[in-house]
Amino acid sequence: MSRPVQTSDIIFPVLSTDFSTTLSSLRRSTLSISNRLRSVAEDAEFVCEVANAYKRPLVANERCGSWYIPLDRKAASAYFKSTDGHTGEWSFSLRRLNIQVLELVAQHDGCIVVDSTRRGKRMPDALSKTIPIWCAIWNALLFPSPDAPTLHTPHTTVSPSEHAQISALLSTFLASAAALNLPVARLRTALKKPLRPLWVTPDSPLPTPSEDGDAFPDFHPIICCTASRRVPGGEASEGGYVQGAGDDSEGWACGLTAPLFWTHQARLLSTGEADLPAVIAELGREGAAKGSGAAEAVRVGPTEWLYVGALDAAKGGEFDAVVMCAESADEGLRGRLKSRYLHLRCGTGKLGSRDLRTEIPKIEGFMRDLPEDSKLAVCCQTGRDISVGVALATLCLYADEDGNRVRAPSDAAAISKTFIRQRLGWIMTAFPAASPSRATLQSVNAFLFSPREAAARQQQQQQQQTPAPSTPSPLGATFASLSTAAPACPWTLARTLTSARPAMPSGTFAGTATFAPREPTAPGYAAEYLYAEEGVLRTDNGLEFPARRRYVWRYRGLQETDGKGSETGGSREKGESITMWFVKENGESVDYLFLDMEFERAREGGRGLKAKGRHPCGEDMYDARFDFGGETEGMRVTYVVKGPRKDYVSETRYTR
């Protein structure tokens, strides 16, 4: 039996067409960068028409909204998330209060909030539901009434059923907002009328010059402007027009930003698609070379001493103290500020928020030693995420209800989720662009709640295990002086590496070191530290990279032993010792012995103690010398390493 006739039997293979591939190719060409930019420019003309018709300032709902507003027409930014208006997930965000919009509304009797959305929708959920919820809650806060808050939604987009479901939740949203102790009294003096959302799309009629688009006697209009016209089908049928072209720009803009687009609009719109990526890269480099200047840090009201900003904001010299959340420390700031500089080693994004869990406890010792009149800046890469989390923890622990600095941290029992939200409200009111991620806030909550209690218990145990300061032995006093537990601060270390072998270049290492007390992990030891150092290694041949190292330091006190040396309460004393141990890959567990220090002499109180030790590493030998000078004089450590594979001298100075 012959096989059935196939398509390839009828159509020559070279002419066969993969219809799906063709459609995908057409869609990609339609969604090109040039088509998107032309669509943005077209939509921006409509936005300006709306502003002229209603005579209200333009507010960009970030980040999409900024693409549709020329730089000279943009009055402010807002942060209304569409996710707060998604069906079944309606919310009044306690993090995105947008008080700056209220202040603008009070000045201009309303505003126009600009946003857009991709094809298939008439308007974004941020405009149709998030802003109506926001208006209803603020109206209830500013103009209290025994009646339930009133919700206004567009009937063309929100069904009666969804409207009713949202309305039923408003009382709950209002209770949460009222608990934040927001500056309602101040805002009430400026806003004399309630807020009322109105909606404008490219299909909406605009007020004509003969009509009074400026008169709204009964309310402040919040005009929700959808910039893009709706595309019911695919973009391929629209002659290159892309609905919501400015949305999700990270996926198509090749690094182009809205300000860069408006600065170079004419050149970008006249450049062909093939050349656009190169032109955008060139403009980006030019912008980076010119620099935008160090972004100013924002003061967190009602305090007079706490500021939040990006990394460059701390370099101007106007701050007495800096907490820097970054991968590597700023050696210039560290050298200038000394103990008033704290480096929290945090990356960016979710990894940085995760790093914050282990780094943020350092602020307790830092704040305890910081003079009360210090002007403090907390900075991170963006200035809006991790630094906001650290500032939030600082406010919760070291600020009273009026924002005044307090020396002792707040009672753990007084810290609740409501209390934390109130302090976060301070930050969001002063700095609306702040955008702490959920992971960052979770790290802050974890620190302020159970981990701090566990740390307090651990510190109490460590204090019991550390040799009593009243009658310390020389070794006991020396070991205790190394601790970086609060209120002590980390050690600053400077290391010089001098190598005789080209394969291992000479250089310098600068960073910090901590001796974190912990419960001894083996019997027979009176105290134990997890030693951790981190910093930047700079080689003489120009290389530079971050470096870390960890050891475990152990102290064994005077003990009575039997003749065999077992700890059974026998007839002779076993001498004290300080030993160093390698750690396993997890950075915590003890692996094997590195050095058993042999002490030479001591002055009164244990200061001036000297020690030496040896460690064979294969055929190479490490000869170590330690000079303990105590809290005031610091410590010096020298390693002379000789062997067939290694030949160098490492000299390290610890100070604080």
Side-chain angles (χ1 to χ4, degrees):
M1 181 178 178
S2 61
R3 65 180 178 83
V5 177
Q6 305 292 319
T7 303
S8 57
D9 296 330
I10 302 173
I11 304 175
F12 291 110
V14 71
L15 299 178
S16 298
T17 302
D18 186 336
F19 193 58
S20 176
T21 302
T22 302
L23 288 178
S24 297
S25 178
L26 286 172
R27 188 171 186 274
R28 282 195 300 271
S29 63
T30 302
L31 297 177
S32 63
I33 300 175
S34 55
N35 279 351
R36 287 180 181 273
L37 296 183
R38 281 192 289 270
S39 301
V40 165
E42 177 183 330
D43 293 340
E45 292 180 4
F46 166 70
V47 169
C48 291
E49 291 176 7
V50 173
N52 295 335
Y54 285 99
K55 303 180 180 64
R56 297 299 193 282
L58 293 170
V59 177
N61 193 32
E62 302 294 3
R63 290 166 295 181
C64 178
S66 285
W67 285 93
Y68 300 99
I69 305 177
L71 294 178
D72 60 342
R73 300 294 298 267
K74 180 178 174 181
S77 292
Y79 303 88
F80 297 104
K81 297 285 285 186
S82 284
T83 51
D84 293 331
H86 285 177
T87 301
E89 300 178 12
W90 311 288
S91 176
F92 175 81
S93 176
L94 302 179
R95 287 190 288 156
R96 294 175 286 273
L97 298 169
N98 287 294
I99 291 179
Q100 80 284 2
V101 177
L102 295 176
E103 294 169 342
L104 189 71
V105 167
Q107 296 172 17
H108 300 277
D109 188 24
C111 70
I112 303 169
V113 181
V114 179
D115 201 353
S116 188
T117 188
R118 295 287 291 118
R119 68 181 176 89
K121 298 186 68 174
R122 186 180 301 274
M123 66 180 68
D125 287 344
L127 300 187
S128 63
K129 287 174 278 188
T130 304
I131 288 181
I133 293 171
W134 179 81
C135 290
I137 298 305
W138 274 111
N139 283 340
L141 291 170
L142 294 168
F143 309 102
S145 169
D147 299 328
T150 302
L151 178 70
H152 298 276
T153 56
H155 64 86
T156 57
T157 304
V158 180
S159 68
S161 173
E162 187 173 14
H163 179 98
Q165 292 178 68
I166 298 173
S167 296
L169 296 172
L170 294 182
S171 296
T172 302
F173 298 158
L174 177 59
S176 298
L180 296 182
N181 294 330
L182 297 168
V184 173
R186 174 175 64 82
L187 292 169
R188 190 179 291 132
T189 61
L191 290 162
K192 305 299 184 183
K193 300 179 290 184
L195 310 174
R196 175 72 180 271
L198 304 174
W199 296 272
V200 175
T201 72
D203 298 328
S204 304
L206 299 179
T208 63
S210 60
E211 297 174 329
D212 191 358
D214 191 27
F216 295 94
D218 300 325
F219 55 83
H220 294 297
I222 309 298
I223 300 167
C224 303
C225 175
T226 301
S228 300
R229 58 184 171 87
R230 185 183 183 189
V231 175
E235 284 90 350
S237 63
E238 294 294 321
Y241 176 78
V242 181
Q243 179 183 349
D247 201 12
D248 296 328
S249 58
E250 298 88 348
W252 61 265
C254 297
L256 183 67
T257 62
L260 204 60
F261 166 69
W262 285 110
T263 302
H264 304 280
Q265 178 191 9
R267 181 181 177 185
L268 289 166
L269 292 178
S270 62
T271 301
E273 178 68 23
D275 298 325
L276 269 174
V279 171
I280 291 171
E282 176 189 341
L283 295 176
R285 288 192 297 270
E286 291 176 358
K290 292 179 181 178
S292 57
E296 292 186 2
V298 178
R299 180 175 63 84
V300 178
T303 76
E304 297 291 339
W305 53 274
L306 182 62
Y307 293 74
V308 177
L311 296 178
D312 287 344
K315 298 179 180 179
E318 60 180 301
F319 299 105
D320 304 313
V322 170
V323 176
M324 184 165 285
C325 311
E327 281 281 2
S328 56
D330 186 308
E331 298 304 330
L333 279 176
R334 191 205 299 274
R336 176 166 62 85
L337 297 174
K338 296 183 171 46
S339 63
R340 290 175 287 112
Y341 174 88
L342 176 63
H343 173 223
L344 302 183
R345 190 181 186 282
C346 299
T348 57
K350 290 184 178 180
L351 292 178
S353 299
R354 190 180 306 165
D355 293 337
L356 189 60
R357 290 203 175 216
T358 56
E359 292 292 306
I360 197 170
K362 295 178 182 177
I363 68 170
E364 291 191 280
F366 177 77
M367 292 298 297
R368 192 174 291 113
D369 294 336
L370 193 66
E372 291 189 24
D373 59 350
S374 296
K375 188 177 177 182
L376 172 64
V378 183
C379 305
C380 71
Q381 185 70 39
T382 65
R384 298 189 296 270
D385 183 10
I386 296 176
S387 58
V388 173
V390 175
L392 174 60
T394 304
L395 286 174
C396 290
L397 294 176
Y398 298 101
D400 63 17
E401 287 298 322
D402 298 320
N404 299 314
R405 166 85 183 279
V406 295
R407 171 69 65 179
S410 301
D411 184 4
I415 296 178
S416 63
K417 288 186 176 181
T418 299
F419 178 83
I420 295 172
R421 290 192 192 104
Q422 290 173 353
R423 293 297 194 262
L424 181 59
W426 289 2
I427 298 175
M428 301 309 298
T429 299
F431 186 23
S435 182
S437 67
R438 184 180 300 274
T440 294
L441 294 178
Q442 287 173 342
S443 293
V444 172
N445 287 343
F447 165 63
L448 292 175
F449 292 137
S450 57
R452 291 189 64 245
E453 297 169 1
R457 290 193 299 269
Q458 184 180 19
Q459 183 176 347
Q460 185 177 10
Q461 294 172 353
Q462 292 158 356
Q463 290 171 347
Q464 295 171 353
Q465 295 155 0
T466 303
S470 56
T471 56
S473 67
L475 261 67
T478 295
F479 196 82
S481 71
L482 300 176
S483 174
T484 53
C489 59
W491 293 91
T492 298
L493 67 87
R495 178 174 297 137
T496 301
L497 297 168
T498 306
S499 175
R501 297 185 184 276
M504 180 179 178
S506 302
T508 60
F509 176 86
T512 59
T514 57
F515 289 81
R518 67 183 192 180
E519 187 173 355
T521 54
Y525 292 96
E528 182 173 302
Y529 295 130
L530 177 61
Y531 170 87
E533 67 177 48
E534 61 179 42
V536 177
L537 176 63
R538 297 179 175 86
T539 64
D540 290 350
N541 58 7
L543 298 177
E544 180 176 316
F545 48 88
R548 298 178 179 180
R549 179 179 295 173
R550 287 192 170 199
Y551 294 107
V552 168
W553 287 51
R554 285 171 166 171
Y555 167 72
R556 187 191 299 273
L558 288 171
Q559 299 167 350
E560 290 188 347
T561 67
D562 61 15
K564 297 180 181 179
S566 63
E567 298 167 12
T568 60
S571 59
R572 73 178 181 86
E573 284 189 335
K574 182 175 181 179
E576 296 173 290
S577 67
I578 295 178
T579 51
M580 290 177 62
W581 302 73
F582 290 109
V583 295
K584 296 181 179 179
E585 291 185 1
N586 61 15
E588 301 280 345
S589 305
V590 175
D591 197 354
Y592 59 95
L593 182 67
F594 174 40
L595 288 172
D596 188 349
M597 300 181 193
E598 179 184 343
F599 287 87
E600 299 175 355
R601 65 182 180 84
R603 296 198 300 266
E604 183 180 354
R607 297 181 180 179
L609 209 63
K610 295 180 181 292
K612 61 182 179 180
R614 304 195 83 191
H615 172 75
C617 180
E619 297 180 353
D620 301 315
M621 182 62 70
Y622 284 70
D623 282 300
R625 295 192 64 84
F626 299 82
D627 188 347
F628 299 95
E631 285 282 353
T632 56
E633 300 176 30
M635 175 174 65
R636 293 180 184 273
V637 179
T638 303
Y639 291 100
V640 179
V641 185
K642 295 283 187 179
R645 293 184 301 131
K646 302 174 184 177
D647 188 358
Y648 69 90
V649 177
S650 169
E651 297 178 288
T652 305
R653 169 74 169 169
Y654 293 79
T655 58
R656 64 178 175 186

